[in-house]
Amino acid sequence: MADTTGNPTDTEAPSGIDKNSPRTSSWKHIGPGIVVAATGVGAGDLVATLIAGSNFGYTLLWAAIVGCLVKISLAEAAGRWHLSTGRTLFDGWASLGRWTTYFFAVYAVVWGFVYGAAAMSSSALPLQALFPDVMDLEWWGIACGLVGLVFVWFNKYAVFEKVMTVLVGVMFVVTVYLAVRVTPNLPDALAGLLPVLPDEKDSVLNTLGLIGGVGGTITLAAYGYWVNAKGWTDTGWMKVMRLDNRVAYATTGIFVVAMLFVGAELLHSANVAIATGDKGLVQLSDILAAEYGGATAKFFLIGFFATSFTSLIGVWHGVSLMFADFVARYRTRSEARGAEVASGERERSWPFRAYLLWLTFPPIVLLFQGQPFRLVILYGVLGAAFLPFLAGTLLWLLNSSRTPSQWRNGLLSNGMLALAGLLFLVLCVKQIWDQPWSEFF
């Protein structure tokens, strides 16, 4: 419906214009891209980029940028499927065979259980550092999970998008401020745009890991659902979606490049190492406090919290939306349409809320008892397998009769998706190979 000013909403075409006619690519429509950028860039991505900067200086700047381009192709393909067919991505997967249903069901259960604990812990770390005497890390984690649950449960996409936009603004200001504060060496940074590998052992795998780790896993698949939730359900929104997607990964690029600058200048030049994982960011705050004062360190911790909490509520919303669509498609055996996502029907459904509860309450056990060894291995394997699965199925769907001919892949799209699939397959094999399988059985 139209709003009270008489202007059409995102879901309504102006009177007399076909609903599938192209909308003007306007910045006022930007939204799902901000959400996917905020959700995809978690604390782990920032730490990986920091470590790359601390180990190799600016040498792998080009790899961080390539990572953004690879993710642009995946998110654009997911969005194009939703808009060109009017069907959801899970509906497309289901058309490829039952194996996709089995994979997603196992993935959603195992991945969601472990990720829930990881997201709550990551959001809790900066809060505990900011308020060390208030309560223990586990209770901060529970508080973050419950706030995320309540927020997503009682708010629809429009409010969710606005809050994510504010938090992205905080992330943007903090990361850019830090990049400027450390005074980057611009000639060296420009030299880092040349595709050169570091002269180190396993440099190829480290480089591929940086490319593959820039911004998002299942959130790339959730992008099409957020596009629909915004009210974009037909090909008239294709140009808008593509602009939105480019903004998403330009924003992601700024985040990771800024953190690589910090790693290169603050850590590499002083030969300082930080821990892997989220605790590396807490360690960085101590280094910032010593170098620039307590105010800068606290400012950074606020940005750290914004980064972690956007990933938490983004997954709470986006993956719950996908799970609700999965259940609806499985129960009815009929086509799952993007219009149903746009209507808000999925967000009001019991599967959406059941998965929200699954992400929040069972993982609390892991906060207190540690993560079960075998479950962590399965989590790592499933997580590594998801992006090859996404790239491969998108190649299949967008080159078949399931997609209208004018919206099928061209040479560039096929090349980028094939590159993404190969990249993530290599990383998947490495992840599986590195697991301590002898201790699993």
Side-chain angles (χ1 to χ4, degrees), residues 55-191:
N55 289 340
F56 308 119
Y58 294 103
T59 305
L60 292 181
L61 179 60
W62 66 272
I65 293 172
V66 170
C68 292
L69 294 177
V70 167
K71 302 298 173 57
I72 283 176
S73 67
L74 282 166
E76 187 276 340
R80 179 155 43 95
W81 166 265
H82 278 249
L83 295 182
S84 65
T85 65
R87 297 160 62 191
T88 64
L89 185 55
F90 187 80
D91 192 67
W93 286 339
S95 72
L96 301 178
R98 286 192 173 185
W99 65 276
T100 60
T101 300
Y102 300 144
F103 175 82
F104 183 80
V106 174
Y107 178 88
V109 172
V110 175
W111 182 89
F113 182 50
V114 181
Y115 180 84
M120 286 187 273
S121 178
S122 179
S123 298
L125 279 168
L127 292 176
Q128 189 189 41
L130 284 166
F131 310 104
D133 300 321
V134 175
M135 53 186 172
D136 292 337
L137 180 70
E138 293 83 3
W139 293 104
W140 275 119
I142 292 169
C144 290
L146 292 176
V147 169
L149 169 70
V150 172
F151 171 72
V152 175
W153 188 293
F154 290 105
N155 289 291
K156 301 308 176 192
Y157 175 80
V159 176
F160 165 70
E161 182 189 288
K162 287 181 174 63
V163 171
M164 292 288 273
T165 301
V166 171
L167 292 172
V168 166
V170 173
M171 292 167 60
F172 185 90
V173 170
V174 170
T175 54
V176 171
Y177 167 77
L178 288 178
V180 173
R181 193 80 169 81
V182 300
T183 317
N185 186 320
L186 294 181
D188 285 354
L190 289 173

Side-chain angles (χ1 to χ4, degrees), residues 332-350:
T332 64
R333 306 289 180 178
S334 59
E335 283 190 359
R337 311 295 297 181
E340 293 164 348
V341 178
S343 71
E345 178 182 329
R346 295 283 187 264
E347 292 168 283
R348 295 189 295 270
S349 66
W350 69 261

